[in-house]
Amino acid sequence: MALPRPRQYDLVLLGATGYTGKLCAEHITKNLPTDLRWAVSGRSHERLSAVVEEIKSYNPDRIQPAVEVVTLTLDDLRSLAQKSRLILNTVGPYFRYSSPVVQACAETGTHYLDVTGELPWVYEMVQKYHDVAKVNNAIIIPEIGLESAPSDLLAWSLATLIQEKFSLGTKEVVASVHDMHSQPSGGTLATVVGILDHYSLSELAKASAPWALSPVGGPKSSTHVPLVTRLLGVRKQPHLGTLTTSITAGPNVAIVQRTWGLLGGPKSYGPNFQYHEYMRVKNSLAGAIIHFALALGMVALAIPPLRWLCQYAAHSFYAPGQGAAKEVTAEESFELRAVAEADEDLPKPKRAMARFRYNGGIYYLTGVFLAEAAMVILKEDELTKNLGGGLLTPAMLGQPFIDRLRKAGIELECRIMPEQ
């Protein structure tokens, strides 16, 4: 959808000198249309110019990005937002730096994408700026990176397939991190430890409540989770293996639930829809150990002296803005699998299975998500018009987003399973 006034840029990459920002700039340079009008933005002209010089070698024939120096003040960010149709934001921790970026985009009708996984901050942004963004036709999509695009896209694909094939809703989607080999960046480590300094325990609990991000109330109770899972964190699923608590499940579940609500709640995936996410482990004992270790870790982070010790350890691993070298990340991989059960009163209901896999650097994948989602918003006029604006979710970009991800080297498969 065309914005009311011509903008100088199609997109601006904010935070281009950081670890994720540089990788996103690399993907844009190598893969996006050569006539794209874009800019890199941050606080240091010298560092931004160095990024431009570095990425120029990837594709010297394309239009090189302009440099926009900006401070993270609301006035500066409003000025930047008014120059661009869309802003890609990689400036984290988001709870500390990026609230005025969302505000500026919502108020100026500028589309916005980020790759946070900070659920309390996303909850805060929804409460403050969803209605503003909706009025101004600004598409604001947080968590369009590893958290929570794969989860949201698999849930959407499975529910859509079951509806198309059987005219049925989906009762439950069980997802599992089947494979993940990667190292966290300095920014990720700083965020995990620092978020408890910013939000109170009551704020964290409110944001983490079931269906907290959904504009429509979800099913009152879940009868799908076995008792042993609730007690020990271990669940066995025939097609996924032995599963346990996943540290990234919280933000992913919340985004999938928000998609359900935004698409119409009971009228979309079905009135009894549930989404649960775990990680695969070798056996039940390992699963129980991981479950309780994560629980103890969260308790430890809630104690200030222990949290400060973790902050020191995190900074000694990678400083914010830094991450693993390319030769290391080349060996990384990520795979998420999911099984969906149709909402029908049968002993053996119909099922579907989906798989998302990427071989390569996980933070490069994050840059792919940002860049390819941007192109969907910039090029798919009918989709953008129908979306309108507001705090939306990755799956609302639908099949065009999936198609672009596949062309970028991501495997995303979805199929009906044979009858049992």
Side-chain angles (χ1 to χ4, degrees), residues 205-221:
K206 189 174 183 179
S208 303
W211 306 96
L213 285 189
S214 174
V216 179
K220 295 298 182 183
S221 63

Side-chain angles (χ1 to χ4, degrees), residues 251-390:
N252 296 338
V253 171
I255 290 297
V256 171
Q257 290 174 343
R258 181 163 179 78
T259 298
W260 175 86
L262 288 170
L263 292 177
K267 298 178 182 179
S268 58
Y269 297 177
N272 300 311
F273 175 78
Q274 295 285 340
Y275 178 84
H276 299 105
E277 185 169 310
Y278 307 92
M279 62 180 288
R280 183 174 67 105
V281 290
K282 291 183 178 180
N283 53 55
S284 297
L285 177 60
I289 291 172
I290 290 172
H291 171 73
F292 287 111
L294 289 174
L296 289 172
M298 292 306 297
V299 171
L301 286 175
I303 302 172
L306 293 178
R307 185 162 67 246
W308 299 332
L309 183 62
C310 290
Q311 282 179 320
Y312 176 79
H315 282 294
S316 67
F317 189 67
Y318 285 123
Q322 297 179 348
K326 283 189 176 182
E327 56 268 22
V328 175
T329 62
E331 303 299 319
E332 294 181 345
S333 61
F334 173 79
E335 183 169 330
L336 183 72
R337 295 184 182 182
V339 173
E341 184 177 288
D343 193 2
E344 55 181 347
D345 190 17
L346 294 174
K348 296 182 178 180
K350 298 175 181 64
R351 294 184 176 187
M353 188 168 188
R355 171 178 172 268
F356 178 105
R357 183 169 183 86
Y358 179 75
N359 296 311
I362 298 306
Y363 286 89
Y364 187 87
L365 172 61
T366 297
V368 173
F369 281 129
L370 280 171
E372 299 302 335
M375 291 309 298
V376 173
I377 294 172
L378 293 173
K379 296 297 184 182
E380 299 289 337
D381 293 342
E382 191 64 28
L383 172 65
T384 306
K385 180 180 179 181
N386 291 337
L387 288 177

